[in-house]
Amino acid sequence: MLHYTSISDISNLSTLIKEAIALKRNPFQFETLGKHKTLVMLFFNASLRTRLSTAKAAEQLGMHTMILNVENTWNLEFEDGTVMNLNASEHIKEAAQVISQYADVIAIRAFPDLKDKAKDESEIIINGFKKYASVPVISMESSTAHPLQALADAITITELSEKQRPKVVLSWAPHPKALPHAVANSFVTMMQQLEVDFEITHPEGYELNPEITKSTRINNNQNEALKHADFVYVKNWSSYSDYGKILNEDPNWIMTKNKLGHAKFMHCLPVRRNVVVEDAVLDSEQSVAIEQANNRTYAAQVVLKKILENLNE
Ligand code: CP
């Protein structure tokens, strides 16, 4: 693996999941693989899970980690040929090349601003680093994708499924803030590749990018979609067609114990209690959200292992 910025960077998903589960059982098996290698983690936005799990994963492989928080502090220029006489003081060309002098791998979190769809979809930060850095790049959530989260979700479903082909439902939930599509996009893409019966449910107007959902079943009736579900992944996202807008906050879309039935509840976290999901679900044995967070370590570790193996070749 050269970079990990998209699920399409995975060459064999089932093998990768098996390797991640093996690392979970024996996390220090490759503790010297990353010796004398440094992971630089750049955060343009805050994080709890991604930051700690990725650092832990790197350290379990023997890597050194350096973390740079640049939220609201670093005005990077991205355009070619611009006269930099305004706020931007550093061009991504130098920044990416300079960080590559200190890092063997660069991991980046850069959320969208949800104002300009074309700009967000161009992924200027992640793609800029891929273009100008001389080392591998990992996405720790970009404007349109959260591939480490989706890999952790696939590990969780694989570990906990009691069926050969479980039914998995992605259910939209209300939220007071406009949220990105990244988690939903990557979860959809991942489920399309996993051996599952997958369906999406959301109110009208919350259709995700059709280039991502493709032929995935979409049902605007939440109760119908949830029938016979084994895993229910609950997530808010803002409108894609009316880009970045909150069209409704219908509280009837909250996940309740009654709606969940016997399914396992999944969420990437952080989650707003009693807005997205009621306490009775989150505090029940049916919630696997904490195990998903645990699996973030092994998702990051298997990705770093693949990248380090490639570097060492
Ligand atoms: N799920 C997730 O990415 O969590 P953080 O935003 O805390 O990293």
Side-chain angles (χ1 to χ4, degrees):
M1 187 182 280
L2 180 55
H3 301 285
Y4 186 63
T5 59
S6 154
I7 288 162
S8 62
D9 291 321
I10 298 174
S11 58
N12 187 325
L13 179 60
S14 61
T15 305
L16 196 72
I17 292 172
K18 279 189 196 127
E19 271 192 62
I21 293 171
L23 283 170
K24 188 174 180 177
R25 295 203 182 106
N26 191 357
F28 297 103
Q29 192 185 351
F30 299 95
E31 63 187 346
T32 59
L33 183 66
K35 194 177 172 193
H36 300 155
K37 296 272 194 290
T38 298
L39 172 69
V40 169
M41 302 165 76
L42 278 181
F43 286 94
F44 289 84
N45 308 94
S47 163
L48 189 164
R49 282 144 287 269
T50 307
R51 177 181 180 139
L52 297 183
S53 62
T54 308
K56 182 173 173 179
E59 283 159 24
Q60 287 179 168
L61 292 168
M63 295 185 86
H64 179 62
T65 58
M66 294 198 287
I67 296 177
L68 204 54
N69 298 305
V70 294
E71 189 173 13
N72 303 324
T73 60
W74 202 19
N75 288 317
L76 271 186
E77 178 59 60
F78 296 91
E79 299 297 326
D80 261 339
T82 38
V83 178
M84 289 171 57
N85 59 356
L86 295 173
N87 283 339
S89 54
E90 175 130 27
H91 201 285
I92 191 164
K93 282 187 187 179
E94 285 76 48
Q97 290 178 73
V98 167
I99 294 169
S100 302
Q101 309 308 304
Y102 316 132
D104 298 281
V105 182
I106 304 174
I108 301 163
R109 165 163 286 200
F111 288 172
D113 63 15
L114 292 176
K115 291 186 181 108
D116 180 338
K117 187 191 281 189
K119 180 169 170 252
D120 287 346
E121 292 191 336
S122 73
E123 299 278 17
I124 50 172
I125 296 183
I126 291 272
N127 285 337
F129 272 90
K130 276 173 82 172
K131 185 170 177 187
Y132 296 115
S134 53
V135 299
V137 173
I138 295 176
S139 165
M140 296 193 295
E141 188 171 345
S142 69
S143 296
T144 62
H146 197 353
L148 284 175
Q149 179 67 54
L151 181 55
D153 299 336
I155 294 166
T156 309
I157 291 171
T158 303
E159 280 189 314
L160 299 178
S161 181
E162 291 160 7
K163 289 182 183 164
Q164 191 75 28
R165 193 166 184 271
K167 180 173 178 186
V168 178
V169 178
L170 172 63
S171 186
W172 181 90
H175 199 283
K177 274 182 69 184
L179 296 188
H181 309 93
V183 169
N185 285 347
S186 290
F187 187 71
V188 170
T189 309
M190 185 58 89
M191 290 307 106
Q192 288 164 346
Q193 295 180 33
L194 212 61
E195 185 60 23
V196 295
D197 173 20
F198 182 50
E199 187 163 344
I200 305 170
T201 182
H202 57 68
E204 279 180 30
Y206 280 101
E207 292 73 22
L208 291 161
N209 182 347
E211 287 179 22
I212 287 172
T213 53
K214 296 180 180 142
S215 60
T216 298
R217 273 195 332 270
I218 299 170
N219 192 337
N220 297 133
N221 183 322
Q222 190 189 35
N223 286 326
E224 258 179 32
L226 292 174
K227 270 184 203 156
H228 310 300
D230 297 296
F231 293 88
V232 177
Y233 200 108
V234 178
K235 184 73 186 85
N236 169 270
W237 57 89
S238 54
S239 174
Y240 180 73
S241 51
D242 197 356
Y243 191 65
K245 297 285 187 309
I246 298 175
L247 306 180
N248 78 53
E249 291 180 60
D250 185 352
N252 292 318
W253 279 80
I254 188 174
M255 188 49 56
T256 65
K257 199 109 197 309
N258 190 34
K259 284 191 216 171
L260 188 65
H262 297 292
K264 290 185 170 36
F265 167 82
M266 299 183 76
H267 195 284
C268 60
L269 303 179
V271 68
R272 294 205 180 212
R273 283 176 171 261
N274 302 309
V275 174
V276 170
V277 53
E278 64 178 19
D279 282 344
V281 172
L282 213 45
D283 296 333
S284 77
E285 296 279 309
Q286 284 170 259
S287 172
V288 299
I290 302 301
E291 197 52 31
Q292 283 173 264
N294 184 28
N295 283 333
R296 291 294 308 274
T297 300
Y298 309 102
Q301 195 166 337
V302 79
V303 164
L304 282 167
K305 176 176 175 285
K306 290 285 169 205
I307 287 173
L308 287 169
E309 285 169 346
N310 192 49
L311 282 179
N312 290 343
E313 264 178 13

